Every structure is written in structure tokens, then in C-alpha cells.
Amino acid sequence: MKRIQYILAVLIFISGGVFSQDVTLEQKGELEQIYSNLEYNTIAFEDLKNKWFLNDPGFVREIFNRFAVQNAFRIDGREAGLDAVMQRAQEVFDGNIIIDLRKRYYDDEIEYFAFVSSDEIDEIKPKPLFDPIVDGFHLKSIIGNRIYEKLQEQGYFFSNLTKDVFETKTGYAFDVKLHLQEPEVLFWSTTSQNRNKYLMSFFGKWGLSRIFLPGWYFPEYIAGARLTYFDALGDNEKNYNYSIAAGLGLTATTPFESEVPNVPLYKSGQSFYFKVSGDMFKSFTDDMEGLFLDLEGFVTIDEYSRKDIGLKRDTEFYSVRNAFSVHVVYKNLFNFFDFGNFKVGGGFASHDINKYRLRTTAAKLLDISENTDQFDRFEHLLLFDFGIENKGGLIQHDLTVDFGFNPIGGYGFMGVKMNAMLSSSFGVDVKFYDSFGLEGDYPWRTAPMIVFSPVLRINY
């Protein structure tokens, strides 16, 4: 609707220029009145519109610079002089200018934008330093789509001025995700202005797909806690600044017992899991926003005895005691035909392979690995993945294709992960993995795997 209004307004101004080269102030006023009448009138909801001050100094500088580059400053309809712009630029340097913003009532478009002095923050109607922008599409043409969308999302420091027609109190919010492979219970303290942004959760995790210790055979289940920080809480739970997780690996039963290798893979000690993740590059520049870094892995901190493993016969088995991965993914490379945002990632993963002999007559495990050097026991993988992710609208989905390849051993893994949710409440999670080149004596199942899990998310 707004685009049609904008086109009509442009045609009106063009036709005015064709029939008369000199448009009087009276004619200009009439044209502005016609254009304003095209807008749906929401005067009865004026006090309920979303209003706020943008007071993030760095972001104000960036937007001010866009206006300067586009020569978009106007005073009383005329181009602002260089002296006036330079004077305001000095105030921007000093942090004395903020931005007054207001959204339309019936959608998310910005209908009012104005640079104002920070001294005006307590005024009912702050006086603009330049002519305000009263059309969201005009504003978008000046500052660009990326910055305009960031203004809409309010992912920065701001002061909320929206009228609150009901009582709000600081309280607790909970987010429970019931998922067979990755359950999570999340809670945080928040206010109506979303000022508290540290989120705490308890989670479970079956298998480590990034290092291709396949969940369909890796006999370990991880349970731990995660701390996540948001600079602004939004609808997309993956748009966090950073996240720190830690947990313990628990012995899990092995599914599909009929498909195990001749020499099985067992857990040989208590392991400690860790993960650090975040949009860490945007601290240097906004151009790198959406480039996420993940560091994930586990280390085994002790060794089980024969009694701990629970086997009652002499057995030889493999064990992975240490693993880690480094992965970088760019989540918003481009929009793929409105189906979602295309993402691409890559990295490096490594894990060791140890071989043990368990005897019923001995209390401790006997290390019979061919490589006596601990570092020579590691297998290395190059990682690559790409996919499409959409977190808006009625249906949210995340489709990712994974590859992992060992250039020395000549083997690798490939897989597809798909998660689809309806209104972020009900959905399914499907994972399919297969291997290639595993012809040696590796402790992996070579048959393909498909895992299906329903997902139920309860948020209150």
C-alpha cells in the first residue's frame, strides 16, 4: 500500500512539473495535502504509536554520515548550507545529538525521523535540527536497507517513549524447548523495555555433528548450562552477541545395535564440554555483523575403571577422549528469493582415536593404541556448510547442508539438517548423515542415518 502511495505522489509531483515549471508555495501545500490524504488516518491511536530516541553515539554518527553523503539535509525545504551541517557534525562528535523516531500504528514502517538535540529529550515535542523525514521509503533511500532494518529492529541503545496502557513489572520469562536431541529450558529477568539481556539456560545435546562424531553412534549425552547475552532482545533467538556453554558428558546407550563396527566405540572417562559462540566481529565494524564464530569441543578429565564401564568380558574398544572444532558462518549473505537468508560457513575440526583393552582380571584399562604420541592420534576434518534460514513470518525454517572431509585419510561425511517451526511453537527437526571413503579400520558405522524429532516450544 505504501509503495502505491509513494508512486502516486511521485506522479503528482512530475505532472506538476510538466504543466508548470514554477510551483508556488500554495501549489506545493496542496500537493502535500493530497499526498497526506493518501495515508490511512490513525489520529485516534497517535498516543499508542511506537516512539523512541536513538541515543547510541556510534549509530547516530553512521546515520548522520549517510545523510551527509546523500546531501539529504534540508532546512525549511531548502538544502542545508555547509556551515550548518558542519556545526551539527561537531555536536555529533560531542555526543549531543540523538534521533527522534516513530513507527506507524498499523505496521512496522517508520513514519517520523528527526535529528534533535539531546537537551530536548524531556520535551513533549522536541525541536528538529533539520527538516524531519516523514516517509519511511524516503528515509530508506537515504540510509539504505540495512540501516533502515536495523532502525526497525531497535538493536541498539535507545530510550522507549511508547505509552504503556497497562501495568508492567520486572519479572521472569521462561522458554522451554522440548526436543529429543537438543532440549533446553531457558529463563531470564526482563522488563517491558527489555533492558536486562543476560539469559541463562540448561540444555542437553546428543552427538557433536560439527566434529562428525556421528550422533547415531557416539555414546555420549551432554548436559550443561549456557549463558547468552543480547544487546537487544528480539524475535530471533539466534541474533545474540555471545554465548558461553559448559557441561559434562554422560554415558548414553548406543542406538541401532545391529549396525555397530567389529570394534565398538565406548566412553572411557568423564568428559568436560565447552562452547563459546557469538557475533564477535561486529564489535569492530557493523559491516561484519552476522559473521558468527563458534569454538566447541570436549576434553576427558579422568579415566574409567573396568567397573565404571560395566563390561563383564574381555573387550577391545575405541574411545574419543578429546575433540574440538573452529567454525565461522556468515548468516545473512543475501536474501534467497524471500525464502530466507542464505548462509555459508567453514572451519576445522579434530578428534583423537584411542584404543583400549579391557580385561576382567585388571582394574584399569590398557592403552593399546598404535600411535604412542598423543598428537598423532588426532584425525582432522575440513568443514564446509551452506543453507537458508528464515526466522520471520508464520513458518520459520532452517535448512543446512554439511560437509566434512579428511584429506589425509580420504574419507568424509555429508549431511542435511532441517528444522521447521510453526509460529516458533510447533515443529519438526530432521537430520540425515552419510559417510564416504570409510574403508579402513575406523570405529564408525558406515550405514546412513536419519533422525526425526518433534519440537514443542513453550514461551511465557
Side-chain angles (χ1 to χ4, degrees):
M1 180 186 294
K2 188 63 179 175
R3 292 185 180 273
I4 296 174
Q5 297 170 0
Y6 187 70
I7 293 171
L8 289 174
V10 170
L11 292 175
I12 291 171
F13 279 98
I14 291 176
S15 62
V18 171
F19 292 105
S20 173
Q21 296 296 322
D22 297 321
V23 180
T24 65
L25 291 177
E26 182 178 355
Q27 290 172 328
K28 181 180 177 182
E30 291 176 356
L31 291 174
E32 290 179 347
Q33 184 176 4
I34 293 172
Y35 174 70
S36 63
N37 287 336
L38 295 174
E39 185 86 35
Y40 180 69
N41 196 327
T42 56
I43 190 172
F45 302 94
E46 196 71 21
D47 61 331
L48 298 180
K49 292 180 178 179
N50 191 357
K51 306 174 185 179
W52 71 99
F53 284 127
L54 192 168
N55 47 19
D56 186 314
F59 199 25
V60 171
R61 283 193 182 210
E62 182 176 1
I63 296 174
F64 188 92
N65 190 70
R66 291 297 179 99
F67 269 77
V69 170
Q70 297 292 332
N71 196 22
F73 293 111
R74 297 291 183 272
I75 298 178
D76 296 332
R78 296 180 176 85
E79 184 178 320
L82 179 61
D83 292 340
V85 174
M86 292 304 297
Q87 177 186 351
R88 299 309 180 190
Q90 184 59 50
E91 294 181 42
V92 170
F93 301 156
D94 297 334
N96 295 328
I97 288 183
I98 58 178
I99 298 176
D100 188 8
L101 292 150
R102 182 176 71 235
K103 287 184 180 180
R104 296 194 302 200
Y105 177 74
Y106 51 86
D107 62 17
D108 204 39
E109 300 296 339
I110 296 173
E111 70 170 12
Y112 184 84
F113 174 101
F115 290 99
V116 300
S117 172
S118 58
D119 296 334
E120 298 276 322
I121 196 169
D122 295 325
E123 299 295 332
I124 298 177
K125 292 184 177 182
K127 183 180 179 181
L129 302 174
F130 301 99
D131 289 353
I133 305 296
V134 293
D135 179 83
F137 294 95
H138 182 203
L139 177 62
K140 189 183 299 184
S141 69
I142 298 173
I143 63 178
N145 291 339
R146 182 182 66 83
I147 295 181
Y148 184 81
E149 291 172 359
K150 189 172 181 178
L151 284 177
Q152 290 177 306
E153 294 173 356
Q154 297 181 330
Y156 42 78
F157 293 112
F158 68 95
S159 299
N160 194 356
L161 305 176
T162 307
K163 180 179 179 181
D164 194 354
V165 295
F166 52 88
E167 183 181 8
T168 60
K169 297 179 179 179
T170 299
Y172 285 96
F174 296 88
D175 193 348
V176 180
K177 184 173 71 172
L178 304 179
H179 191 300
L180 294 178
Q181 302 171 58
E182 298 180 4
E184 186 170 15
V185 178
L186 180 149
F187 61 91
W188 67 89
S189 176
T190 184
T191 68
S192 61
Q193 296 182 2
N194 297 333
R195 301 304 299 172
N196 299 329
K197 308 176 185 67
Y198 285 98
L199 283 64
M200 186 70 182
S201 63
F202 298 100
F203 69 92
K205 185 178 180 66
W206 179 50
L208 297 175
S209 59
R210 279 270 167 78
I211 55 178
F212 291 95
L213 294 178
W216 68 96
Y217 186 56
F218 189 53
E220 186 161 334
Y221 194 88
I222 298 166
R226 178 183 292 113
L227 178 67
T228 306
Y229 174 75
F230 289 78
D231 59 7
L233 292 175
D235 296 332
N236 189 351
E237 71 276 7
K238 292 188 177 182
N239 284 342
Y240 54 86
N241 289 66
Y242 62 83
S243 173
I244 302 173
L248 297 176
L250 309 175
T251 301
T253 57
T254 303
F256 317 117
E257 289 287 351
S258 61
E259 293 289 342
V260 298
N262 293 329
V263 181
L265 181 71
Y266 289 148
K267 182 176 170 62
S268 61
Q270 179 61 63
S271 59
F272 175 77
Y273 169 82
F274 63 89
K275 183 176 182 180
V276 179
S277 174
D279 195 357
M280 300 178 181
F281 298 102
K282 74 174 183 179
S283 301
F284 304 101
T285 171
D286 287 339
D287 294 334
M288 300 184 72
E289 184 175 358
L291 187 63
F292 278 71
L293 171 67
D294 288 353
L295 305 175
E296 183 181 27
F298 68 86
V299 294
T300 300
I301 54 181
D302 69 357
E303 186 173 283
Y304 285 163
S305 64
R306 176 182 56 81
K307 183 178 179 181
D308 294 326
I309 296 177
L311 295 176
K312 298 181 179 179
R313 55 183 173 81
D314 291 355
T315 306
E316 290 184 1
F317 64 90
Y318 287 106
S319 179
V320 176
R321 296 179 59 84
N322 305 282
F324 69 92
S325 68
V326 180
H327 184 265
V328 177
V329 58
Y330 188 31
K331 293 188 175 182
N332 301 310
L333 192 60
F334 58 85
N335 187 272
F336 190 77
F337 301 110
D338 292 329
F339 186 67
N341 291 323
F342 188 83
K343 60 181 180 178
V344 62
F348 174 83
S350 185
H351 59 78
D352 61 3
I353 296 288
N354 303 275
K355 194 173 184 180
Y356 293 95
R357 178 179 292 125
L358 182 146
R359 294 186 181 277
T360 56
T361 57
K364 295 184 178 182
L365 301 176
L366 177 63
D367 190 338
I368 58 173
S369 303
E370 294 180 4
N371 295 316
T372 57
D373 191 318
Q374 294 291 334
F375 291 100
D376 291 339
R377 300 181 184 184
F378 277 82
E379 299 283 328
H380 309 294
L381 292 168
L382 300 178
L383 308 178
F384 174 72
D385 58 272
F386 63 90
I388 298 173
E389 181 181 57
N390 179 38
K391 290 300 177 182
L394 179 64
I395 299 177
Q396 301 80 44
H397 58 264
D398 186 350
L399 176 65
T400 303
V401 179
D402 277 337
F403 294 95
F405 179 68
N406 184 315
I408 299 177
Y411 69 89
F413 304 91
M414 53 188 175
V416 177
K417 299 183 292 186
M418 186 187 71
N419 180 283
M421 298 289 291
L422 179 64
S423 297
S424 295
S425 299
F426 307 95
V428 294
D429 190 291
V430 181
K431 292 182 175 70
F432 173 83
Y433 280 96
D434 200 358
S435 61
F436 59 90
L438 284 178
E439 299 176 354
D441 188 21
Y442 292 102
W444 309 120
R445 180 186 294 109
T446 57
M449 178 277 293
I450 184 168
V451 174
F452 170 90
S453 175
V455 182
L456 173 62
R457 182 185 178 194
I458 305 173
N459 182 271
Y460 62 93

